[in-house]
DNA sequence: CTGAAAGCGCTTACAG
DNA sequence: CTGAAAGCGCTTACAG
C-alpha cells in the first residue's frame, strides 16, 4: 500500500493525497474527507523513509549515553524518549559504555542514518577529542548534555559548581570543618567541577584545603566502596560524594563494616530513590531530568537552524 | 556529498561506487581502491535513508518496553542496543510506561518508519488486544519478549514456571511449610505463571494451598511495601516475591519496621545488584539478558523471512 | 568488471 | 483547489 494506491482508490492525484497527509491548507474539505476515508479503510501508514528522503527532513534523533545501567542515565533516556514521543520524534539509542570507539561507531551509524541531530552525554576523555567533535558537528547538528567538553560546543547541563557549593555548605552549617571529598573521574567535566566547588567552598569558609581529605575515585560503585575503607581510617564524619554510584559503594562499605548509619553526614549530587531504603539522611538534589531533555531538544532545533545564540545552557538546581 | 559526487571524483559510475560501498564482489581491485580513497578523502557517509528506500531494507529495529526506570528493563534495553550495535543495527526506543495507548503510538511511529521489525515487552492487559496485535503483525514483523500475550505470537521469554518452582523449593528445603506468595499484576503473563508455579509446588509437596497466604500486588515497589505490612501480621517466615520492585518495597518495609534481616527467608525471580547492600541472603536467578536480546533478534529475523518454525522460545534459567 | 537507466515512495515547485 | 512531472540519493536488473 503506497500513496499511489490511495490516490487511485480516492480518484485523486498523489499530490493531493500527500497534501492531505501533511495537513496542507489547500484541499477542498470534501476531497480531504474522501481521501481520509480511503486511508482509514486501507489502514495505510505513510512511508517516512520516503518522506524523509524527498523532504530532506528526519524525525528521529540520536541519543548516546555512556552507561544506561546507571539509573542517572536511564532517567535521562526515559525522559528523552517520552518528551520526543510527544513531538512524534523517534529516538535511536546508543550505549557507549564509556568507550570512545563504541561512541564513535554510534555517531557514524547515526550520521549515515541522517538523523535530525545527535544528543550526547560523552564518554570520559572525550574532551581530548575536540577535533573529532568539530568534524562531526560540521556534518550534523550535535548537542552535548550533562558533560561538557569545551565551551565552544552547544551544551545543556546542570549547574554544578554553585549547586555543589550549596550541598557542602549544608555540612558546614552542621558544624563540620573536616569534610572528606570523594572525587569522580576527573576526565569528566562534572567530576572536575564538583572538585572545584569543594575547593571554593573551603576558601569561602576559611577552611584549610587538606589534600589528605580528597579521595580520587572514578564515579564507579567499586571506587566508592574502596575509598570508603580509606575514609574509615580517618576521623572525618562529613563527606561529599561526587555521584550516585560512588555513594552506593560507600553505603555498601558502611553496611559491611557495620557502621552506624548516622556516623557520617553525607552530601551528594543525586541519588537513586533506592537509597531511601538504606539511609534517609543523605543530602542531595532532586534533578529535573525532564527539563534537561526538553532543553537539549530545543537547543538541537536551534543548532539545526543555526540560530543558537548561546552555546551553554545551564540548569539551576534547588 | 552524495554518491554521484564520489563517482565523478573517482571517474566511475554511481553503480560502481554503490558496489564498492556494499562490498560487492565484482569490482576490480584497482577501482575499489580508487573509489575508497575518494570516500576517505571526502569523509563521505552514505545516506542510509536512500539506501533503505531503494533496497527496501531497514537496519533499525524498534524496541518498546513498559518501564525503563525498572532496572530489569533497562538491562534489556542495554543488552539489545549493544547486541544490535554489533550487527550495525540501530535501535529506536519506545517507553510505554504500561500505557496501552502510548504503546500503540510507538508501534504506529515505528511502522511509519518502516523499521525492520518491532521487539516488544507489552504493557499489562495487552493480552486483551489480540486483534490489534494480529493486525500489526500483518504489517510488520513483531516479536514479543519477556511477556507473553498468546501462544500464536512469536515470543522469546524466560522459562517462568519451573524456575519459580525451583526457587520456592529452596524455601521448602529449609523446612518451611508456610510460604507466603506476593503476586504481581495478573494481567501480565509472568505474574500469572509465577502464581501457577506456587500452586504447583505446593501440590508437589503436599502442602495445602492457603488463600490467605497469597497477597495480590501489581509488580510495583509501592505494592510490595503495602503488602509487607500485611505479611508482618501473619506468622510466616518464608516468602516468594514475584519481582524485583516488589522485593524492594518489601525490604523498605522491613527496614522501617526495624525487622531483623533474617526474620524472613526470601526467594524472588530477579533482583538488582543493589539488593546486596541491604540483604545478602535473597535467593534469585542470574538472568541471561544478553541471551534474551540475541534470541529475540534472531527470531525477528526468522519472522521477517517467514521461516520461524516455533513461536515460543523459552530460555531456561539456573 | 562496468555503466545507463529505471525504480524505491514520497514531496514540491510550477502551472493551471 | 488540483495535478503532471521532476527530484530526493541510493540500488539493481540488464546489457555489454
Amino acid at each position: 500500500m503506497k500513496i499511489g494506491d490511495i490516490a487511485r482508490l480516492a480518484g485523486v492525484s498523489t499530490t493531493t493525497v500527500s497534501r492531505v497527509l501533511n495537513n496542507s491548507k489547500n484541499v477542498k474539505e470534501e476531497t480531504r474527507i474522501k481521501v481520509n476515508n480511503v486511508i482509514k479503510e486501507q489502514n495505510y501508514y505513510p512511508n517516512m523513509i520516503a518522506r524523509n528522503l524527498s523532504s530532506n527532513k528526519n524525525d528521529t534523533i540520536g541519543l548516546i549515553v555512556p552507561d544506561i545501567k546507571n539509573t542517572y542515565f536511564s532517567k535521562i533516556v526515559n525522559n528523552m524518549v517520552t518528551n520526543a514521543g510527544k513531538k512524534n520524534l523517534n529516538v535511536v539509542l546508543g550505549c557507549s559504555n564509556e568507550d570512545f570507539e563504541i561512541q564513535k561507531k554510534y555517531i557514524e551509524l547515526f550520521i549515515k542514518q541522517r538523523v535530525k541531530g545527535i544528543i550526547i552525554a560523552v564518554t570520559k576523555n572525550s574532551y581530548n577529542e575536540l577535533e573529532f567533535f568539530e568534524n562531526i558537528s560540521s556534518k550534523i547538528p550535535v548537542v552535548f548534555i550533562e558533560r561538557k567538553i569545551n565551551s565552544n560546543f552547544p551544551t545543556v547541563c546542570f549547574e554544578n559548581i554553585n549547586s555543589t557549593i550549596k550541598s557542602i555548605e549544608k555540612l558546614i552549617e552542621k558544624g563540620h570543618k573536616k569534610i572528606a571529598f570523594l572525587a569522580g573521574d576527573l576526565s569528566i567535566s562534572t567530576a572536575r567541577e564538583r572538585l572545584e566547588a569543594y575547593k571554593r567552598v573551603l576558601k569561602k569558609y576559611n577552611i584549610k584545603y587538606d589534600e589528605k581529605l580528597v579521595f580520587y575515585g572514578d564515579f564507579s560503585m567499586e571506587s566508592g566502596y574502596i575509598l570508603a575503607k580509606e575514609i574509615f581510617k580517618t576521623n572525618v564524619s562529613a563527606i561529599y560524594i561526587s555521584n550516585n554510584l560512588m555513594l552506593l559503594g560507600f553505603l555498601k562499605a558502611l553496611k559491611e563494616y557495620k557502621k552506624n548509619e548516622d556516623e557520617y553526614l553525607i552530601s551528594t549530587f543525586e541519588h537513586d530513590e533506592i537509597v531511601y531504603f538504606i539511609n534517609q539522611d543523605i543530602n542531595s538534589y532532586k534533578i529535573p531530568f525532564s527539563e534537561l531533555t526538553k532543553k537539549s531538544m530545543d537547543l538541537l532545533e536551534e543548532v539545526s537552524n543555526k540560530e543558537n545564540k548561546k552555546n551553554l545552557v545551564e540548569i539551576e538546581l534547588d
Side-chain angles (χ1 to χ4, degrees), chain A:
Chain A
M1 190 62 48
K2 59 187 81 163
I3 201 170
D5 299 320
I6 303 297
R8 194 169 30 76
L9 291 169
V12 297
S13 72
T14 59
T15 312
T16 298
V17 177
S18 175
R19 287 202 184 96
V20 172
L21 248 19
N22 293 293
N23 295 312
S24 165
K25 272 278 153 242
N26 304 321
V27 183
K28 210 201 308 179
E29 192 54 22
E30 191 189 325
T31 313
R32 183 186 303 280
I33 292 170
K34 190 170 58 182
V35 171
N36 271 328
N37 282 341
V38 177
I39 290 174
K40 275 272 148 54
E41 274 167 35
Q42 302 297 319
N43 195 18
Y44 164 72
Y45 294 92
N47 183 331
M48 299 306 256
I49 298 277
R51 170 185 295 188
N52 291 344
L53 180 63
S54 81
S55 67
N56 197 27
K57 286 179 189 159
N58 199 313
D59 40 16
T60 113
I61 59 182
L63 171 64
I64 303 176
V65 294
D67 178 15
I68 199 189
K69 295 189 298 317
N70 180 343
T71 55
Y72 190 86
F73 290 107
S74 73
K75 288 173 188 170
I76 290 179
V77 171
N78 186 41
N79 278 284
M80 194 75 79
V81 170
T82 302
N83 283 324
K86 287 177 187 162
K87 302 180 174 187
N88 287 318
L89 289 174
N90 295 296
V91 174
V92 289
L93 183 62
C95 301
S96 64
N97 293 320
E98 297 283 7
D99 182 325
F100 186 82
E101 287 306 314
I102 295 179
Q103 172 175 271
K104 186 176 172 185
K105 215 197 61 185
Y106 281 113
I107 292 174
E108 289 173 344
L109 221 47
F110 293 170
I111 291 179
K112 290 183 189 167
Q113 214 62 37
R114 297 294 190 272
V115 296
K116 187 184 184 62
I118 295 177
I119 296 178
I120 182 169
V122 293
T123 61
K124 54 180 147 188
N125 284 315
S126 286
Y127 72 127
N128 279 329
E129 308 280 351
L130 298 186
E131 206 180 328
F132 171 77
F133 286 107
E134 256 161 35
N135 201 286
I136 295 306
S137 298
S138 73
K139 299 196 93 69
I140 197 166
V142 180
V143 164
F144 295 80
I145 56 169
E146 169 64 14
R147 299 173 173 185
K148 302 172 184 167
I149 60 166
N150 181 291
S151 58
N152 295 325
F153 295 89
T155 307
V156 179
C157 59
F158 301 115
E159 197 290 321
N160 269 280
I161 294 192
N162 290 327
S163 306
T164 303
I165 285 176
K166 275 193 249 167
S167 291
I168 297 176
E169 277 178 332
K170 301 234 166 146
L171 304 176
I172 296 176
E173 283 162 8
K174 301 240 172 166
H176 291 276
K177 296 266 179 190
K178 284 193 75 166
I179 297 168
F181 184 87
L182 262 71
D185 187 320
L186 296 176
S187 75
I188 298 170
S189 66
T190 48
R192 289 194 301 276
E193 292 181 338
R194 289 166 201 170
L195 178 55
E196 171 64 20
Y198 175 70
K199 291 176 179 170
R200 286 200 204 169
V201 74
L202 292 189
K203 188 163 286 172
K204 178 172 170 187
Y205 286 85
N206 282 316
I207 302 173
K208 188 158 175 301
Y209 174 81
D210 180 356
E211 177 61 54
K212 287 200 289 298
L213 292 182
V214 179
F215 298 81
Y216 296 93
D218 64 2
F219 272 157
S220 73
M221 211 179 287
E222 183 71 14
S223 78
Y225 178 78
I226 292 171
L227 293 177
K229 296 182 187 172
E230 297 300 315
I231 289 176
F232 295 165
K233 295 177 188 163
T234 71
N235 63 344
V236 301
S237 54
I239 311 175
Y240 183 86
I241 301 180
S242 287
N243 81 339
N244 60 340
L245 296 183
M246 291 179 76
L247 170 67
L248 288 174
F250 186 88
L251 294 177
K252 180 175 183 178
L254 218 53
K255 182 174 169 67
E256 271 189 30
Y257 284 68
K258 305 210 189 298
K259 296 276 183 184
N260 210 316
E261 269 183 24
D262 48 14
E263 196 161 329
Y264 293 96
L265 188 61
I266 302 174
S267 273
T268 188
F269 192 75
E270 188 260 4
H271 66 69
D272 200 84
E273 290 66 29
I274 203 85
V275 165
Y276 293 126
F277 294 18
I278 308 177
N279 190 318
Q280 303 274 0
D281 291 330
I282 289 163
N283 181 267
S284 75
Y285 286 100
K286 175 93 182 61
I287 306 287
F289 290 106
S290 184
E291 191 177 344
L292 177 81
T293 59
K294 278 182 192 157
K295 291 199 166 157
S296 62
M297 289 172 55
D298 290 345
L299 186 55
L300 188 65
E301 196 63 42
E302 290 178 26
V303 171
S304 303
N305 303 330
K306 297 189 181 4
E307 62 184 25
N308 50 317
K309 304 117 208 166
K310 53 179 184 175
N311 270 330
L312 180 62
V313 177
E314 279 194 311
I315 298 169
E316 300 290 330
L317 304 177
D318 53 33

